[in-house]
């Protein structure tokens, strides 16, 4: 087999390995015991390092989108729909995507670095020799933690986006408070919020799986650890874009 064919097959094998690890982790998550104490500790760590960046990015993205869209609505004479647009922006799109980008950038890098350091020090190999499953002991708690934090942060971003959009629209762009609140249910309801939470669940799962996979497959010493951390974030963002688009297309087709 030529070197070009081998190189072309590496991404396919990596994708298969990631999917296999994700499937194993999901089976273990629902059928076998794992360390909830480890999951809570990891969730607290991810939340602690992700909360402030999430709020800052959320405010920037939400206010920028609301400002631009409100200018268009004002030209069209439909500024009373500002609340509905804020709901679409924060709940359906910005909330889950910003959540997982920050979780992957802050928490995912820490997860990847921790597992990569363990792999380089051959701790993972030692666990396997002792009959301890690294996926059950290390991967599953981190996946649970990432998903829980993603769901909580998504709720926070959705609420913060609506509240921030209210103050921005009412006090800076002369939208009446009653019109802002009344227009929110026109575009955003329980089904849209459920889809947003589903996105946050899937995105958090993807971020954790990719971070864990790169941490467990690292090679090349300390330089390999740094490369794995950078690759985990880049790959996560690259994967989330088509996944988010696919979920949105299904949502628009069904709802």
């Amino acid at each position: 087999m030529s070197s070009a064919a081998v190189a072309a097959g590496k991404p396919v094998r990596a994708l298969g390995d990631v999917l296999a690890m994700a499937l194993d982790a999901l089976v273990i998550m629902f059928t076998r015991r794992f360390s909830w104490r480890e999951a809570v500790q990891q969730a607290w760590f991810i939340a602690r390092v992700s909360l402030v960046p999430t709020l800052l990015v959320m405010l920037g993205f939400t206010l920028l989108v609301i400002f631009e869209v409100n200018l268009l609505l004002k030209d069209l004479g439909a500024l009373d729909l500002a609340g509905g647009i804020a709901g679409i922006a924060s709940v359906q799109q910005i909330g889950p995507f910003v959540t997982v980008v920050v979780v992957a950038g802050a928490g995912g890098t820490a997860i990847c670095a921790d597992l990569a350091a363990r792999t380089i020090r051959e701790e993972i190999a030692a666990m396997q020799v002792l009959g301890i499953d690294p996926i059950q002991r290390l991967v599953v708690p981190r996946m649970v933690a990432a998903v829980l934090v993603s769901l909580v942060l998504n709720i926070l971003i959705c609420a913060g986006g609506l509240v921030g959009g209210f103050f921005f629209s009412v006090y800076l762009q002369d939208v009446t408070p009653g019109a802002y609140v009344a227009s929110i249910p026109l575009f955003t309801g329980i089904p849209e919020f459920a889809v947003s939470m589903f996105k946050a669940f899937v995105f958090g799962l993807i971020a954790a799986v990719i971070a864990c996979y790169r941490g467990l497959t690292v090679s090349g010493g300390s330089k390999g650890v740094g490369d794995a951390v950078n690759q985990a974030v880049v790959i996560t963002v690259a994967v989330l874009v088509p996944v988010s688009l696919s979920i949105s297309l299904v949502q628009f087709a069904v709802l």
Side-chain angles (χ1 to χ4, degrees), residues 7 153 159 165:
L153 290 182

Side-chain angles (χ1 to χ4, degrees), residues 55-74:
L55 294 176
L56 294 176
V57 175
M58 177 268 294
L59 289 174
F61 267 87
T62 303
L63 296 183
L64 177 62
V65 171
I66 292 174
F67 176 74
E68 295 292 340
V69 174
N70 282 0
L71 290 179
L72 177 61
L73 293 176
K74 186 175 182 180

Side-chain angles (χ1 to χ4, degrees), residues 74-88:
K74 186 175 182 180
D75 293 337
L76 297 175
L79 198 56
D80 289 344
L81 298 178
I85 299 302
I88 293 176

Side-chain angles (χ1 to χ4, degrees), residues 243-255:
V243 171
S244 177
L245 178 61
S246 300
I247 296 176
S248 297
L249 291 176
V250 173
Q251 173 189 357
F252 295 147
V254 174
L255 298 181

Side-chain angles (χ1 to χ4, degrees), residues 116-127:
R118 292 170 183 258
T119 302
I120 293 299
R121 295 195 301 263
E122 298 185 352
E123 292 182 16
I124 305 300
M127 292 176 62

Side-chain angles (χ1 to χ4, degrees), residues 50-63 65 89-107 149-150 153-158 196 199-200 203-204 207 236-237 240 244:
S50 302
L51 181 58
V52 174
T54 299
L55 294 176
L56 294 176
V57 175
M58 177 268 294
L59 289 174
F61 267 87
T62 303
L63 296 183
V65 171
S90 60
V91 175
Q92 298 190 38
Q93 301 300 332
I94 295 178
F97 194 79
V98 169
T99 296
V100 78
V101 167
V102 176
V103 169
V149 173
S150 296
L153 290 182
N154 183 58
I155 295 174
L156 181 63
I157 289 179
C158 292
S196 177
K199 281 186 176 182
F203 292 172
T236 299
V237 176
L240 290 181
S244 177

